[in-house]
Amino acid sequence: MAVAATTQPPNSKHNIEAMREAFYARIATKDMAPLWKVMRSVVTKEPVTRTKPHVWHYDDVKSLVMESGSLISAEEAKRRVLILENPALRGQSRATNTLFAGVQMILPGEVAPAHRHAAAAIRFVLDGEGAYTAVEGEKAFMAPGDFVITANWAPHDHGNPSNKPMLWLDVLDFPVVNFYETSFAEHFDDATQETTRQDGDSLSFYGSGVLPDGTPTTNRSPVINYTYARTRPIIERMMQSGDVDKRHGARVRYANPVTGGPVLPTMGAYLAMLPKGFKGEPYRATDGTVFVCVEGKGTTNVDGNVLEWGKNDVFVVPPWKRYSHNAPEQSVLFSISDRPAQEALGIWRESN
Ligand SMILES: [Fe+2]
């Protein structure tokens, strides 16, 4: 005999919904919630990003940063930096979900006083010559295209004894540090730190295929400044020898010379030369990436959005968005992302 449909009251669906809602309300008073209601949004099938593809053109950035020079001194500002805020993350001081990016300027004669913090930083020099970053006792004089690292808790200060303003891109991992709620910072009484090593000591000690005997293995590179003068000829030579990746061009990874690993545990960087007429194949990866055009001009198609870039423009490709580079003329791109952190956690993925 068939089970009569009448064994269930006609309004059972309504009843169970009402019972569930009452249950959710009751557990909410005990600071609990049902996972099954949010499962699809907290464990997504594919990466979901709030970051938008975006380009900051250097013409705009430079004139506004220069204007800020008449409004506040580097000493008063501590760091005179205009933040490059992703349009989808306004008010959050970040270019991607995990990376801060900003353009800093030091005018002739200025000093940005010594401090240190748990967040790690890199500088990528855009304009000027002869300003320095002093890191852990080494005063690194910088030129356009130089890549300077300041590992977490490393004391650092900047100064510009030259007669030209210097501008550089700062990228920091503090959104990650703040995600873990692990920020510390300290300012020193003296604006500048004592230097005990000469400019270029660290590159010469550690960046030449030999290491001072007894160099400890650490998860951050001992090299302070990876100069453009040394790195550019390498990618040019790779390009000339045909070592050109179909997606990335002739690309090198900035490496910790002691371990071969990334320069910092949280951030990794690359320099790539795109041959004239390069039409890159599509690529995507889970690390949201900040690019700088160092030379040339071109476009990057990000998921249907075409970003046009020229010298010193900064642009962002969000995580897991398919992108491809096009370069009508020979171009050089610097890029930086949180890939090392993702790899350390085992969550980094790439695909075409
Ligand atoms: Fe700093």
Side-chain angles (χ1 to χ4, degrees):
M1 200 172 94
V3 177
T6 52
T7 55
Q8 295 286 325
N11 60 351
S12 64
K13 192 165 186 311
H14 173 75
N15 276 353
I16 191 68
E17 283 302 328
M19 285 167 68
R20 284 175 183 170
E21 289 305 324
F23 176 72
Y24 301 153
R26 201 145 48 81
I27 65 173
T29 68
K30 303 290 181 189
D31 299 304
M32 290 187 275
L35 175 60
W36 59 87
K37 291 266 284 182
V38 296
M39 181 75 104
R40 263 187 289 186
S41 62
V42 295
V43 186
T44 60
K45 276 184 83 172
E46 291 215 330
V48 173
T49 181
R50 297 177 299 152
T51 307
K52 282 204 166 130
H54 190 69
V55 57
W56 291 266
H57 293 290
Y58 191 60
D59 285 349
D60 298 334
V61 170
K62 184 175 183 179
S63 65
L64 293 168
V65 171
M66 294 298 288
E67 198 178 325
S68 75
S70 60
L71 296 174
I72 191 163
S73 70
E75 187 110 30
E76 190 188 348
K78 305 293 185 209
R79 295 294 184 267
R80 190 203 288 111
V81 178
L82 294 188
I83 305 167
L84 305 182
E85 286 199 318
N86 191 282
L89 306 168
R90 295 300 311 281
Q92 298 180 41
S93 305
R94 60 184 88 182
T96 71
N97 204 41
T98 57
L99 296 180
F100 163 92
V103 174
Q104 177 159 182
M105 178 176 67
I106 310 261
L107 290 169
E110 285 192 323
V111 162
H115 69 191
R116 63 179 167 180
H117 33 71
I122 65 92
R123 336 273 161 209
F124 189 79
V125 181
L126 303 174
D127 233 328
E129 189 124 23
Y132 65 83
T133 293
V135 187
E136 294 181 311
E138 180 168 331
K139 198 182 253 190
F141 284 90
M142 303 180 287
D146 286 2
F147 171 59
V148 176
I149 65 167
T150 307
N152 81 78
W153 214 238
H156 56 283
D157 54 88
H158 313 286
N160 187 354
S162 84
N163 56 11
K164 287 187 289 192
M166 179 170 262
L167 286 84
W168 65 74
L169 177 76
D170 280 321
V171 178
L172 284 92
D173 59 11
F174 68 62
V176 175
V177 173
N178 291 341
F179 175 75
Y180 286 113
E181 299 179 326
T182 50
S183 177
F184 293 92
E186 183 171 81
H187 291 272
F188 296 106
D189 292 337
D190 294 328
T192 55
Q193 62 183 288
E194 292 263 325
T195 48
T196 51
R197 301 203 303 193
Q198 293 183 50
D199 181 23
D201 269 2
S202 70
L203 185 60
S204 134
F205 292 166
Y206 306 105
S208 305
V210 294
L211 295 171
D213 199 18
T215 299
T217 300
T218 55
N219 67 355
R220 32 135 322 173
S221 173
V223 176
I224 303 298
N225 185 4
Y226 294 78
T227 65
Y228 198 56
R230 289 225 355 204
T231 314
R232 189 191 186 283
I234 299 168
I235 52 174
E236 186 170 33
R237 196 163 174 152
M238 283 174 67
M239 190 186 74
Q240 284 163 354
S241 70
D243 192 355
V244 179
D245 184 276
K246 288 188 167 76
R247 305 152 307 167
H248 306 301
R251 189 168 86 153
V252 288
R253 177 173 62 84
Y254 292 94
N256 175 341
V258 183
T259 64
V263 289
L264 294 163
T266 50
M267 293 187 285
Y270 298 84
L271 194 72
M273 186 170 276
L274 311 180
K276 180 181 165 68
F278 184 75
K279 288 188 170 54
E281 291 187 358
Y283 176 77
R284 63 178 173 170
T286 51
D287 48 322
T289 304
V290 177
F291 287 89
V292 182
C293 168
V294 194
E295 294 179 28
K297 64 176 183 184
T299 57
T300 297
N301 188 318
V302 188
D303 214 19
N305 300 280
V306 177
L307 305 179
E308 280 190 43
W309 40 261
K311 187 173 164 57
N312 284 346
D313 291 349
V314 178
F315 63 98
V316 162
V317 174
W320 211 235
K321 296 294 181 195
R322 202 170 267 116
Y323 68 93
S324 53
H325 300 306
N326 285 282
E329 60 184 65
Q330 179 181 299
S331 302
V332 176
L333 291 177
F334 168 83
S335 62
I336 182 158
S337 79
D338 63 1
R339 177 173 164 175
Q342 292 194 21
E343 286 180 317
L345 298 172
I347 55 177
W348 184 79
R349 302 284 187 280
E350 66 177 341
S351 85
N352 53 17

